[in-house]
Amino acid sequence: MKKHILIINTGGTLSSVAKEHGLTPGLTTDTMLRELHVVAGDAELSTMEFASLDSANIFPEDWARLAEAITENKDSYDGIVVIHGTDTLAYTSSMLSYMLQNISIPVVITGSQLSISDPVADAMENLRCAIYMAQRGKNGVFVAFNRKVILGCRASKVRSVNFDAFDSINAPNVAEINSFGMKINDAMVPEKNGIFQLRNSFSSDIAVVKMFPGMHRSLLTSLAKEGCRAIYIEAYGLGGMPYIGHDFIEAVGKLVEQGMTILIGTQCRFDGSNLSVYETGRRALEKGVLQAYDMTTEAAVTKLMWVLGQTSDPAQIREYFSVSLCGEVSL
Ligand code: ASP
């Protein structure tokens, strides 16, 4: 039986046209219909124009609306493909993974490094992979790019020009395409472990701070004064922060005492953080910080926003960070 796939367009390079001030999204799904049918095989397609934005202009409010649009349509389609700019695609795929936990269809996000109107673009191949994955009946939020499928909360944009723009960080790909066709690794498909319920509340009162030698701890206190409820700190290596001279960890501890959530991750793209190895990490743990372990920055930041949208209770926030909700962290 023919599978019915909904294509939701949000913009990005895939649908861009060259204008006086540079490349900007402009093509609609209607104007791309011929190309979409070429890559859809025998799937039946419907389309929805959600936005026409460079993904630098995507905000958390858009994630909440997008999750709502997907929820409203999920029972009418076998799968949904979202066309999105690549720059913030991994933030969107991570946030949708939390907002749409336990969804019972595939939601596959894709984009491209060159506009579909360019004869040598990667757009057709990426759409082909996304539409094919959307027909496979695997539940969850995925990213399809350069002939691979990545779990939404494990994707990260790692190249700004190369067609192989996304990697699956600290987790195997969900699927790869080669001359044997698409091979899906079922162990990477999220298990449905509860009922689906749209949970698209969030809080954007957070900050992301990247540690560097000489960084002054007053930066943290000023963020707290500005009304931040949580800070994600990209620390060094396994999660190291200074405590001699400028006692950064002491400053962190004071913020935790005031009720702020401090989540510690790493600047290293691979392997993740583990605060229990070094003295510096253990000192931070004693102050009550939370650990991001092997989460991507995109998954950690959006989890923080999502969790703060669910609760303000420090014990519950800690509880959320002690579990993997949709495959975003290995504990
Ligand atoms: N600036 C574009 C965007 O994120 C880049 C792309 O789509 O590749 O919307």
Side-chain angles (χ1 to χ4, degrees):
M1 219 178 49
K2 272 193 173 188
K3 298 284 173 105
H4 199 176
I5 305 299
L6 174 65
I7 313 271
I8 302 181
N9 185 29
T10 73
T13 295
L14 190 144
S15 64
S16 280
V17 282
K19 291 213 174 132
E20 196 194 339
H21 298 292
L23 265 185
T24 186
L27 301 173
T28 62
T29 39
D30 270 353
T31 50
M32 297 189 283
L33 219 46
R34 190 182 60 84
E35 286 84 356
L36 288 172
H37 280 295
V38 169
V39 292
D42 59 2
E44 199 179 316
L45 296 185
S46 295
T47 58
M48 178 194 288
E49 286 304 304
F50 179 86
S52 187
L53 293 171
D54 185 296
S55 73
N57 293 315
I58 292 277
F59 288 93
E61 291 74 15
D62 299 308
W63 297 331
R65 277 199 311 122
L66 188 54
E68 215 169 275
I70 292 170
T71 303
E72 278 162 14
N73 285 283
K74 70 177 177 41
D75 296 331
S76 313
Y77 296 93
D78 297 293
I80 294 180
V81 170
V82 178
I83 297 174
H84 197 288
T86 60
D87 290 348
T88 63
L89 190 152
Y91 287 93
T92 298
S93 64
S94 296
M95 186 53 117
L96 289 182
S97 305
Y98 306 127
M99 290 181 167
L100 300 173
Q101 282 169 65
N102 295 313
I103 192 159
S104 38
I105 57 163
V107 175
V108 191
I109 310 175
T110 193
S112 67
Q113 295 276 58
L114 258 183
S115 165
I116 199 162
S117 57
D118 193 309
V120 292
D122 52 340
M124 297 288 268
E125 218 37 65
N126 292 345
L127 276 169
R128 193 195 311 277
C129 178
I131 295 172
Y132 191 79
M133 182 65 190
Q135 296 173 73
R136 303 275 76 75
K138 306 291 178 189
N139 311 333
V141 178
F142 308 99
V143 172
F145 220 91
N146 198 40
R147 296 192 167 114
K148 55 192 183 192
V149 178
I150 301 168
L151 196 61
C153 52
R154 288 289 186 175
S156 196
K157 185 172 179 180
V158 292
R159 292 174 195 89
S160 56
V161 177
N162 195 293
F163 283 170
D164 196 11
F166 288 86
D167 269 0
S168 179
I169 307 297
N170 300 328
N173 291 328
V174 173
E176 284 166 22
I177 298 179
N178 58 27
S179 59
F180 293 121
M182 180 182 273
K183 174 99 180 67
I184 298 179
N185 176 0
D186 278 313
M188 282 307 297
V189 175
E191 268 176 41
K192 195 170 161 70
N193 53 17
I195 57 154
F196 172 82
Q197 203 184 358
L198 172 65
R199 292 172 76 185
N200 61 350
S201 307
F202 64 88
S203 165
S204 22
D205 294 335
I206 70 153
V208 179
V209 168
K210 184 168 184 162
M211 193 96 219
F212 62 92
M215 186 169 105
H216 208 280
R217 58 191 201 169
S218 61
L219 178 70
L220 293 187
T221 26
S222 55
L223 287 171
K225 278 193 203 122
E226 288 300 316
C228 266
R229 292 172 62 199
I231 305 177
Y232 172 63
I233 302 179
E234 265 196 6
Y236 307 127
L238 284 175
M241 294 183 289
Y243 57 93
I244 295 173
H246 291 278
D247 194 345
F248 198 84
I249 293 179
E250 196 211 1
V252 162
K254 286 211 175 104
L255 295 181
V256 175
E257 263 171 38
Q258 288 164 25
M260 208 163 175
T261 301
I262 308 285
L263 178 65
I264 309 294
T266 175
Q267 297 173 12
C268 298
R269 191 171 281 286
F270 296 105
D271 301 339
S273 54
N274 181 347
L275 297 185
S276 46
V277 178
Y278 291 100
E279 182 182 349
T280 163
R282 290 198 191 184
R283 280 173 181 256
L285 284 177
E286 279 162 19
K287 299 286 184 195
V289 304
L290 303 177
Q291 302 201 59
Y293 297 104
D294 67 345
M295 272 192 268
T296 62
T297 292
E298 294 89 331
V301 168
T302 52
K303 186 168 180 175
L304 210 43
M305 293 169 107
W306 184 81
V307 167
L308 293 184
Q310 318 303 309
T311 180
S312 302
D313 175 0
Q316 277 185 20
I317 295 171
R318 181 168 290 277
E319 183 74 15
Y320 273 116
F321 279 93
S322 71
V323 293
S324 170
L325 299 170
C326 46
E328 76 278 10
V329 62
S330 329
L331 294 161

